[in-house]
């Protein structure tokens, strides 16, 4: 089936099998490998992307279901020269070690900050219950999100596509 | 924090944000599954659904006509290709090691054992065919638990391991221990289960192999903590290919925790498939495959006994352990429950006598090997759980009971009764800092106030020591290691003054790409931006042994330091020559080489690097270039130590345990990068707390894995854990050039015992419960409280 | 992680969906897909054809209709969480995680009748009604008749759950949950609502083969008594490695007591 998506602001049309998961479409058809796969039971959150501005687990959405939609991945939320405040936060606060869960963590956190610009520690922890990290013990992830919230409160710009979300 | 203040280094000791992070936070990291090679095929594994089964026929034709299927490989193909058994890397006396073929030939020995492989044009088609392949299994009797496996008449896992016992091992003086018990004022005895854990690095394992017929060269991308070890094993022991014809690249790796040390079946299969198909072949594990194929951890059944005299001084400690090895022995499997466990059962105490006996048992479960801490968390749990039980029996405060039994600073180097020589340590300051940081007396008062309500408090204080920085080679060789344990480093200075460092260590989250350049920037006195670290590619690095056993900084970092010293020594000679001064008159300060007393006469590192390569004017007889390699083999392990404290709240109505606070004071010597050190401690704590409270790789008694997905295996989540309070003391290692010790595993080594003891502290104070096994799931805790209260009620009624 | 292959079509309307289902009995309806797709990825489910109703606008959103809120079946958990509905927003906050809540739908969850799902307890406690359409027309089923067994609801093959009607006069409500530590589904969830007539309705989920009312508890609370214990029979409960039947029965008591105290 043909699907057309705006991914990180660019239109793509590809012919896919209906069974193609959005995450496989992104990784294998578009070679956007920043979005990762960490489980097969829709729990770990490594595959989190935004579809029409909402965070979803791209391993549990079919590519054909996202036909016609706007998708933002980690590659689109900020760039090395124009980092999203969350990317800055994770870097500054050592919110990552192996980096594998990081794209999903950042995409999930971005949605939190959109709805709740100054979340408490507990709100951050609650919001990230669907994102597993095995390296950090979550301590610095919480601090990274808090740091990003501070940057945004001080008028720090969300880079790249994030403003559209 | 104390200790780092005395250093004058510019970078060493700084909490620099990591150089490697930009690629990870922008989604441009390069993990194995991200890599695409032209013409690449995909493989899917067919895994045994049975814990133990004879493999009858495999009907390849049942899938060979399916769309996109290129080939089906079985154990027969492995045998026909002359591929050897996957070897064990650490031999014990009289160790029985059953064959471990890359694809099972006659028998599958655990759920998840590979019985066939489908190679197809894409992953979906490979999985389609793998799900349809007809395999005749004849189920055989099977056994999952070590205790059951050594019972009379138990099913036998491998015919060449009768009675399922792979080894019997002991350390220490049994007679001296018995004498201690004979003289005891009080003794305690515990039966402990250290449950099976599943490592669960968030990146599933993956491998991608390519074969180039023209040169006979193989290229293997794989998720490895130690690419050289993979190359050595694959080339010399399994595939029989010249070592230099195999290049192993371990690109970005999404966490290891031990599980990516080992030689796995799939890597062998990918190399063979790539050769047979003449095209690159990739396999990436699904999480459900990871559950039944990643090497698992722990799984001990242990009895401990401790004796003390009338002053509460420890006399003797006795440990008897059954270690479940699973269905095969992999790389370090025999070492983990022996030399990495028994030797640490002395803990931080002045124990006159210790004896540890371990039986290694084969079962029809996924193999067990090193998982973060590898033997040392089990040892800490065994002794620290017993120490708490003894403190309870004596009516002493657990912190003070520990304090009075500590090895004292003047005792170092300290020879324990179980082989190790602790080279340095000072245990009381860490204990006192932790007690102060966590406000210990106030916690005890709060515990008293909460007593009898439906929320009770538990507090623990545990002190640990561990041995890490795996090395020295001669010693580990004597103990059975089939590999060296030194590390290498190559420093390459370019004509422009830019520097590349190469290490045999591997970073899969530990921040080497920042910490190693920190060491180098200080030694070379150049900006850290001019230095990059290269790791994870046997084609680029000198030989090395990789990352495990918290060895990167202490061994790999030390190798780097030695190589850097060779560079600066040569640079100084060149600078002296350029300055027309004698070498003794030249000093290297603030980034320049200058003549003492004539500060305007100087040469920069760039000047020297350029001249080393132009070679227009070098000292007589000096080789051009500026490059040095060092191979560093330490004199001893390093011995990090510290005190960890956990505070738990238990809801007595539901049995639910909440980890409310966690604090620790660790001593890993001087901190190269405090940000990275603290991150390592955080993650380690979460993994140990995970074991104490949630995680359990549960099997049924036949060997079916019950916790085979995240629906059944509890991973610690953000909302399960508190912020951690962390501090450090700094006691440098006396024998390596950086003074550093390992920190990658300390958190895990201490925290399962700390959290367990906090839970038991609550249950002891509330209702006299002496022991419960991890994990402290709600129902287990609720029932224990209910039953003990019922028992106490009854006792009062009587 | 690839599902077995299948045909896929998007429904243009509820009528078209019903017609498609009548034409092809093998057609499996997919809504948010957060129960179905995980099963398909593990190949535990291999439907030959999917009919996607997730985007049907006529099944989205929350309206008021006299004494009822009318909730479209394809309203996501996230939209329920942010709504003014009684009880359901609190319950929605316990469903899955934020990403799951952005895709999973209230109708998909309720029609699926997972015995560990959270919403069924809320539906029973609020006395919700289910509007179910088939080729033969529309029928309304009360909450007490909706949950028939494990993964078995009153929605028959060839029918679609289109709307959930939730009474508007509920003055207070609470949900207490003891979640499965790994999956975060309910080991036990207890929902409670005080209705316009002042009567309290209560129900549990997770503990047994299907969600059900707690008549003993309702009787006691409506008589002004405490929740007490022995609200369910241990023998009727499910048991597994994480919680035995006995423990689940105990949790029903504990959570009922906590819910009653919070309800005030």
């Amino acid at each position: 089936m043909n699907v057309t998506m705006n991914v990180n602001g660019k239109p793509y049309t590809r012919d896919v099998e209906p069974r193609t998961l959005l995450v496989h479409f992104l990784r294998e058809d578009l070679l956007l490998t920043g979005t990762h796969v960490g489980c097969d039971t829709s729990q770990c959150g490594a595959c989190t992307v935004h579809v029409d501005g909402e965070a979803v687990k791209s391993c549990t959405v079919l590519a054909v279901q996202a036909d016609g939609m706007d998708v933002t991945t980690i590659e689109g939320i900020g760039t090395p020269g124009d980092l999203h405040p969350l990317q800055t936060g994770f870097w500054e606060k050592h919110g990552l070690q192996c980096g594998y869960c990081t794209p999903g963590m950042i995409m999930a956190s971005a949605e939190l900050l959109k709805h709740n610009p100054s979340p408490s520690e507990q709100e951050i922890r609650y919001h990230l219950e669907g994102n597993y990290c095995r390296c950090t013990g979550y301590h610095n992830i919480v601090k990274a999100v808090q740091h990003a919230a501070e940057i945004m409160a001080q008028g720090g710009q969300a880079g790249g596509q994030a403003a559209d979300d | 924090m104390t200790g780092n203040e005395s250093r004058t280094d510019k970078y060493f000791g700084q909490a620099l944000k990591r150089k490697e992070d930009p690629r990870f936070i922008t989604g441009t990291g390069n993990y194995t599954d991200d890599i695409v090679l032209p013409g690449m095929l995909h493989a899917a594994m067919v895994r045994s659904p049975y814990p133990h089964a004879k493999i009858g026929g495999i009907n390849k034709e049942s899938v060979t006509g399916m769309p996109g299927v290129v080939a089906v490989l079985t154990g027969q193909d492995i045998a026909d290709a002359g591929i050897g058994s996957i070897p064990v890397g650490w031999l014990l006396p009289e160790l029985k090691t059953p064959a471990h073929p890359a694809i099972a030939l006659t028998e599958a020995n655990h759920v998840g054992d590979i019985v066939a492989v489908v190679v197809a044009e894409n992953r979906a088609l490979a999985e389609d065919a793998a799900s349809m392949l007809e395999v005749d299994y004849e189920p055989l009797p099977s056994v999952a638990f070590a205790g059951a496996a050594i019972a009379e008449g138990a099913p036998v896992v491998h015919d060449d391991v009768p009675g399922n016992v792979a080894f019997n091992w002991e350390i220490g003086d049994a007679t001296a221990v018995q004498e201690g018990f004979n003289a005891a004022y009080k003794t305690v005895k515990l039966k402990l289960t250290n449950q099976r854990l599943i490592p669960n690095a968030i990146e599933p394992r993956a491998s991608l192999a390519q074969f180039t017929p023209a040169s006979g060269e193989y290229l293997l991308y794989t998720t490895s903590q130690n690419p050289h070890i993979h190359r050595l094993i694959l080339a010399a022991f399994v595939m029989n290919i010249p070592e230099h014809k195999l290049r192993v690249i371990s690109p970005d790796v999404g966490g290891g925790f031990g599980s990516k040390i080992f030689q796995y079946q799939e890597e062998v299969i990918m190399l063979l498939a790539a050769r047979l198909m003449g095209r690159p072949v990739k396999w990436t594990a699904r999480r459900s495959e990871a559950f039944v194929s990643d090497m698992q951890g722990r799984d001990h059944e242990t009895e401990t006994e401790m004796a003390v005299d009338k002053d509460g001084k420890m006399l003797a400690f006795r440990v008897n352990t059954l270690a479940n090895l699973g269905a095969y022995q992999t790389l370090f499997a025999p070492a983990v429950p022996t030399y990495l466990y028994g030797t640490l059962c002395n803990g931080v105490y002045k124990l006159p006598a210790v004896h540890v006996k371990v039986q290694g048992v084969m079962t029809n479960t996924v193999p067990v090997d090193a998982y973060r801490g590898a033997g040392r968390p089990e040892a800490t749990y065994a002794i620290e759980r017993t120490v708490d039980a003894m403190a309870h029996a004596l009516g002493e405060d657990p912190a003070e009971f520990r304090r009075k039994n500590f090895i004292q600073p003047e005792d170092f180097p300290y020879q324990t009764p179980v082989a190790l020589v602790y080279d340095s340590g000072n245990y009381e300051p860490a204990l006192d800092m932790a007690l102060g940081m966590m406000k210990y007396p106030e916690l005890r008062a709060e515990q008293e106030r909460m007593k009898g309500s439906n929320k009770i408090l538990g507090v623990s204080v545990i002190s640990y020591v561990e041995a890490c920085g795996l090395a020295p080679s001669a010693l580990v060789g004597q103990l059975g290691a089939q590999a060296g344990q030194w590390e290498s480093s190559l420093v390459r200075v370019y004509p422009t003054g830019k520097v590349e460092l190469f290490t045999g260590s591997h970073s899969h989250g530990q921040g080497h790409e920042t910490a190693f350049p920190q060491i180098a920037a200080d030694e070379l006195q150049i900006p850290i931006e001019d230095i990059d670290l290269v790791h994870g590619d046997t084609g680029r690095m000198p030989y090395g042994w990789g990352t495990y056993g918290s060895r990167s900084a202490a061994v790999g970092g030390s190798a780097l330091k030695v190589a850097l010293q060779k560079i600066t020594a040569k640079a100084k000679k060149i600078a002296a020559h350029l300055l027309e001064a004698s070498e003794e008159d030249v000093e290297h300060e603030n980034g320049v080489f200058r003549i003492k007393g004539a500060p305007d006469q100087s040469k920069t590192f760039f000047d020297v690097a350029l001249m080393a390569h132009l070679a227009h004017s070098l000292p007589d007889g000096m080789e051009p270039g500026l490059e040095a390699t060092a191979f560093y083999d330490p004199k001893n392990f390093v011995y990090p130590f510290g005190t960890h404290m956990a505070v738990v709240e238990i809801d007595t109505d539901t049995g639910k345990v909440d980890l409310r606070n966690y604090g620790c004071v660790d001593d890993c010597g001087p901190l190269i990068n405090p940000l990275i050190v603290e991150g390592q401690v955080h993650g380690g704590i979460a993994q140990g707390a995970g074991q104490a409270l949630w995680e359990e790789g549960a099997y049924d008694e036949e060997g079916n894995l019950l916790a085979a997905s995240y629906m059944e295996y509890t991973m610690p989540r953000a909302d399960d854990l508190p912020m951690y309070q962390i501090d450090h003391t700094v006691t440098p290692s006396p024998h390596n050039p950086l003074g550093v010790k390992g920190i990658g595993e300390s958190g895990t080594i201490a925290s399962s015992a700390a959290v367990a003891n906090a839970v038991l502290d609550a249950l002891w104070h509330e209702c006299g419960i002496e022991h419960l096994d991890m994990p402290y799931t709600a129902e287990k805790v609720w029932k224990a409280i209910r039953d003990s209260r019922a028992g106490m009620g009854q006792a009062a009624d009587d | 992680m690839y599902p077995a292959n299948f045909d896929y079509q998007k429904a243009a309307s509820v009528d078209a969906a019903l017609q498609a289902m009548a034409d092809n009995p093998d057609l499996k309806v997919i809504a948010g897909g957060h129960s179905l797709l995980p099963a398909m990825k593990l190949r535990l489910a291999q439907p030959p054809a999917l009919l996607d109703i997730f985007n049907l606008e006529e099944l989205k959103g929350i309206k008021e209709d006299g004494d009822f809120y009318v909730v479209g079946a394809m309203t996501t958990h996230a939209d329920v969480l942010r709504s003014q509905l009684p009880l359901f927003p609190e319950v929605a906050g316990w469903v899955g995680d934020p990403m799951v809540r952005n895709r999973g739908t209230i109708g998909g969850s309720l029609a699926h009748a997972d015995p560990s799902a959270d919403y069924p307890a809320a539906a029973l406690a609020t006395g919700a009604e289910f509007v179910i359409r088939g080729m033969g027309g529309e029928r309304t089923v009360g909450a007490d008749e909706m949950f028939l067994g494990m993964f078995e609801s009153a929605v028959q093959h060839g029918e679609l759950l289109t709307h959930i009607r939730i009474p508007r006069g509920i003055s207070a409500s609470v949900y207490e949950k003891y979640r499965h530590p790994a999956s975060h589904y309910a080991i036990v969830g207890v929902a409670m609502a005080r209705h316009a007539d002042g009567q309290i309705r209560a129900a549990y989920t997770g503990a047994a083969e299907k969600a059900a009312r707690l008549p003993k508890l309702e009787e006691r609370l409506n008589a002004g008594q405490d929740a007490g214990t022995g609200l369910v029979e241990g023998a009727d409960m499910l048991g597994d490695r994480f919680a035995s039947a006995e423990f689940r029965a105990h949790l029903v008591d504990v959570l009922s007591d906590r819910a009653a105290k919070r309800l005030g």
Side-chain angles (χ1 to χ4, degrees), chain B residues 123-124 127-128 131 286 288 454 651 653-654 656 694 696 698 706-707 710-714 717 719-720 777-779 782-783 786, chain C residues 1-5 41-43 46 178-185 240-248 250-251 254-255 258:
Chain B
R123 192 171 167 189
E127 290 189 10
D128 286 347
S131 72
R286 289 178 285 121
S288 45
N454 65 353
D651 178 336
D653 294 335
T654 63
K656 185 169 189 294
W694 305 295
E696 184 173 22
L706 303 174
Y710 290 148
M711 299 294 281
E712 295 283 325
Y713 189 89
T714 309
R717 291 173 166 91
D719 60 348
D720 294 323
T777 52
E779 179 167 15
W782 169 71
K783 275 198 167 136
R786 182 197 61 179
Chain C
M1 199 175 88
Y2 288 81
N5 228 334
K41 284 190 287 183
L42 298 173
R43 300 194 181 219
Q46 302 196 17
Y178 195 90
R179 64 191 185 184
H180 188 292
S183 71
H184 277 189
Y185 276 85
D240 62 25
R241 202 159 57 80
F242 287 88
S244 67
E246 179 195 14
F247 186 51
R248 278 184 159 87
H250 168 72
L251 286 175
V254 170
L255 299 183
R258 289 180 180 179

Side-chain angles (χ1 to χ4, degrees), chain B residues 753-773:
Chain B
V755 177
N757 274 357
V759 173
L760 268 308
D761 180 77
L763 297 179
W764 166 260
H765 278 91
E766 185 66 20
C767 38
I769 294 167
E770 187 54 78
H771 181 70
L772 271 184
D773 282 323

Side-chain angles (χ1 to χ4, degrees), chain B residues 50 94 188 220 227 234 242 245 397-398 403 450 495 511 527 535 590 646 677 694 697 704 708 731 787 794:
Chain B
Y50 298 101
E94 297 175 49
V188 293
L220 176 68
L234 286 165
K245 297 282 193 188
D397 179 87
R403 183 194 305 277
M450 289 170 78
H535 63 98
N590 298 325
V677 168
W694 305 295
N704 297 294
T731 310
D787 293 349
Q794 208 161 36

